[in-house]
PDB file of all heavy atoms in Angstrom:
ATOM      1  N   ALA A1578      -5.689 164.612 109.919  1.00 96.00           N
ATOM      2  CA  ALA A1578      -6.627 163.955 109.046  1.00 96.00           C
ATOM      3  C   ALA A1578      -6.239 164.010 107.618  1.00 96.00           C
ATOM      4  O   ALA A1578      -6.482 163.054 106.847  1.00 96.00           O
ATOM      5  CB  ALA A1578      -8.024 164.555 109.276  1.00 96.00           C
ATOM      6  N   GLU A1579      -5.618 165.124 107.204  1.00 96.00           N
ATOM      7  CA  GLU A1579      -5.187 165.257 105.843  1.00 96.00           C
ATOM      8  C   GLU A1579      -4.104 164.253 105.439  1.00 96.00           C
ATOM      9  O   GLU A1579      -4.164 163.612 104.371  1.00 96.00           O
ATOM     10  CB  GLU A1579      -4.735 166.733 105.576  1.00 96.00           C
ATOM     11  CG  GLU A1579      -4.329 166.958 104.135  1.00 96.00           C
ATOM     12  CD  GLU A1579      -3.918 168.404 103.917  1.00 96.00           C
ATOM     13  OE1 GLU A1579      -4.110 169.259 104.812  1.00 96.00           O
ATOM     14  OE2 GLU A1579      -3.332 168.704 102.799  1.00 96.00           O
ATOM     15  N   GLN A1580      -3.103 164.103 106.310  1.00 95.00           N
ATOM     16  CA  GLN A1580      -2.027 163.181 106.067  1.00 95.00           C
ATOM     17  C   GLN A1580      -2.334 161.793 106.500  1.00 95.00           C
ATOM     18  O   GLN A1580      -1.653 160.821 106.188  1.00 95.00           O
ATOM     19  CB  GLN A1580      -0.753 163.668 106.773  1.00 95.00           C
ATOM     20  CG  GLN A1580      -0.242 165.032 106.324  1.00 95.00           C
ATOM     21  CD  GLN A1580       0.324 165.006 104.920  1.00 95.00           C
ATOM     22  OE1 GLN A1580       0.876 163.963 104.482  1.00 95.00           O
ATOM     23  NE2 GLN A1580       0.132 166.064 104.173  1.00 95.00           N
ATOM     24  N   GLN A1581      -3.370 161.624 107.348  1.00 96.00           N
ATOM     25  CA  GLN A1581      -3.723 160.363 107.930  1.00 96.00           C
ATOM     26  C   GLN A1581      -2.567 159.787 108.723  1.00 96.00           C
ATOM     27  O   GLN A1581      -2.137 158.627 108.534  1.00 96.00           O
ATOM     28  CB  GLN A1581      -4.215 159.369 106.869  1.00 96.00           C
ATOM     29  CG  GLN A1581      -5.510 159.772 106.177  1.00 96.00           C
ATOM     30  CD  GLN A1581      -6.106 158.717 105.272  1.00 96.00           C
ATOM     31  OE1 GLN A1581      -5.495 157.707 105.009  1.00 96.00           O
ATOM     32  NE2 GLN A1581      -7.289 158.972 104.781  1.00 96.00           N
ATOM     33  N   GLN A1582      -2.067 160.657 109.603  1.00 97.00           N
ATOM     34  CA  GLN A1582      -0.931 160.300 110.432  1.00 97.00           C
ATOM     35  C   GLN A1582      -1.190 160.803 111.854  1.00 97.00           C
ATOM     36  O   GLN A1582      -1.893 161.806 112.026  1.00 97.00           O
ATOM     37  CB  GLN A1582       0.357 160.871 109.883  1.00 97.00           C
ATOM     38  CG  GLN A1582       0.763 160.344 108.529  1.00 97.00           C
ATOM     39  CD  GLN A1582       1.877 161.126 107.920  1.00 97.00           C
ATOM     40  OE1 GLN A1582       2.493 161.969 108.506  1.00 97.00           O
ATOM     41  NE2 GLN A1582       2.218 160.785 106.641  1.00 97.00           N
ATOM     42  N   SER A1583      -0.619 160.133 112.824  1.00 97.00           N
ATOM     43  CA  SER A1583      -0.839 160.492 114.245  1.00 97.00           C
ATOM     44  C   SER A1583       0.496 160.806 114.910  1.00 97.00           C
ATOM     45  O   SER A1583       1.487 160.040 114.752  1.00 97.00           O
ATOM     46  CB  SER A1583      -1.519 159.324 115.013  1.00 97.00           C
ATOM     47  OG  SER A1583      -2.766 159.079 114.409  1.00 97.00           O
ATOM     48  N   TRP A1584       0.510 161.909 115.692  1.00 98.00           N
ATOM     49  CA  TRP A1584       1.655 162.204 116.592  1.00 98.00           C
ATOM     50  C   TRP A1584       1.351 161.611 117.940  1.00 98.00           C
ATOM     51  O   TRP A1584       0.259 161.863 118.509  1.00 98.00           O
ATOM     52  CB  TRP A1584       1.856 163.702 116.676  1.00 98.00           C
ATOM     53  CG  TRP A1584       2.655 164.309 115.542  1.00 98.00           C
ATOM     54  CD1 TRP A1584       2.146 165.046 114.514  1.00 98.00           C
ATOM     55  CD2 TRP A1584       4.043 164.268 115.355  1.00 98.00           C
ATOM     56  NE1 TRP A1584       3.204 165.435 113.689  1.00 98.00           N
ATOM     57  CE2 TRP A1584       4.358 164.999 114.204  1.00 98.00           C
ATOM     58  CE3 TRP A1584       5.093 163.644 116.080  1.00 98.00           C
ATOM     59  CZ2 TRP A1584       5.669 165.136 113.713  1.00 98.00           C
ATOM     60  CZ3 TRP A1584       6.397 163.826 115.613  1.00 98.00           C
ATOM     61  CH2 TRP A1584       6.671 164.555 114.433  1.00 98.00           C
ATOM     62  N   LEU A1585       2.338 160.933 118.488  1.00 98.00           N
ATOM     63  CA  LEU A1585       2.184 160.288 119.780  1.00 98.00           C
ATOM     64  C   LEU A1585       3.324 160.660 120.734  1.00 98.00           C
ATOM     65  O   LEU A1585       4.418 160.867 120.275  1.00 98.00           O
ATOM     66  CB  LEU A1585       2.132 158.758 119.656  1.00 98.00           C
ATOM     67  CG  LEU A1585       1.118 158.152 118.693  1.00 98.00           C
ATOM     68  CD1 LEU A1585       1.347 156.642 118.577  1.00 98.00           C
ATOM     69  CD2 LEU A1585      -0.334 158.459 119.191  1.00 98.00           C
ATOM     70  N   SER A1586       3.036 160.697 122.027  1.00 98.00           N
ATOM     71  CA  SER A1586       4.043 160.841 123.044  1.00 98.00           C
ATOM     72  C   SER A1586       4.264 159.490 123.660  1.00 98.00           C
ATOM     73  O   SER A1586       3.304 158.735 123.985  1.00 98.00           O
ATOM     74  CB  SER A1586       3.572 161.881 124.134  1.00 98.00           C
ATOM     75  OG  SER A1586       4.523 161.880 125.150  1.00 98.00           O
ATOM     76  N   ILE A1587       5.513 159.103 123.784  1.00 97.00           N
ATOM     77  CA  ILE A1587       5.912 157.764 124.168  1.00 97.00           C
ATOM     78  C   ILE A1587       6.696 157.767 125.486  1.00 97.00           C
ATOM     79  O   ILE A1587       7.623 158.564 125.626  1.00 97.00           O
ATOM     80  CB  ILE A1587       6.753 157.081 123.085  1.00 97.00           C
ATOM     81  CG1 ILE A1587       6.017 157.102 121.757  1.00 97.00           C
ATOM     82  CG2 ILE A1587       7.114 155.639 123.494  1.00 97.00           C
ATOM     83  CD1 ILE A1587       4.775 156.305 121.672  1.00 97.00           C
ATOM     84  N   ALA A1588       6.406 156.820 126.344  1.00 95.00           N
ATOM     85  CA  ALA A1588       7.241 156.556 127.507  1.00 95.00           C
ATOM     86  C   ALA A1588       7.678 155.104 127.464  1.00 95.00           C
ATOM     87  O   ALA A1588       6.829 154.193 127.434  1.00 95.00           O
ATOM     88  CB  ALA A1588       6.503 156.833 128.786  1.00 95.00           C
ATOM     89  N   LEU A1589       8.962 154.867 127.415  1.00 88.00           N
ATOM     90  CA  LEU A1589       9.488 153.498 127.409  1.00 88.00           C
ATOM     91  C   LEU A1589       9.645 152.965 128.839  1.00 88.00           C
ATOM     92  O   LEU A1589      10.365 153.556 129.606  1.00 88.00           O
ATOM     93  CB  LEU A1589      10.874 153.432 126.721  1.00 88.00           C
ATOM     94  CG  LEU A1589      10.892 153.426 125.175  1.00 88.00           C
ATOM     95  CD1 LEU A1589      12.343 153.226 124.694  1.00 88.00           C
ATOM     96  CD2 LEU A1589      10.032 152.307 124.626  1.00 88.00           C
ATOM     97  N   ILE A1590       8.965 151.901 129.075  1.00 86.00           N
ATOM     98  CA  ILE A1590       9.084 151.259 130.447  1.00 86.00           C
ATOM     99  C   ILE A1590      10.208 150.303 130.430  1.00 86.00           C
ATOM    100  O   ILE A1590      10.872 150.029 131.465  1.00 86.00           O
ATOM    101  CB  ILE A1590       7.771 150.580 130.795  1.00 86.00           C
ATOM    102  CG1 ILE A1590       6.581 151.562 130.662  1.00 86.00           C
ATOM    103  CG2 ILE A1590       7.816 150.085 132.260  1.00 86.00           C
ATOM    104  CD1 ILE A1590       6.776 152.894 131.387  1.00 86.00           C
TER     105      ILE A1590
END
Side-chain angles (χ1 to χ4, degrees):
E1579 182 177 349
Q1580 298 291 326
Q1581 295 188 353
Q1582 297 170 6
S1583 301
W1584 277 104
L1585 305 173
S1586 176
I1587 305 294
L1589 279 187
I1590 309 306

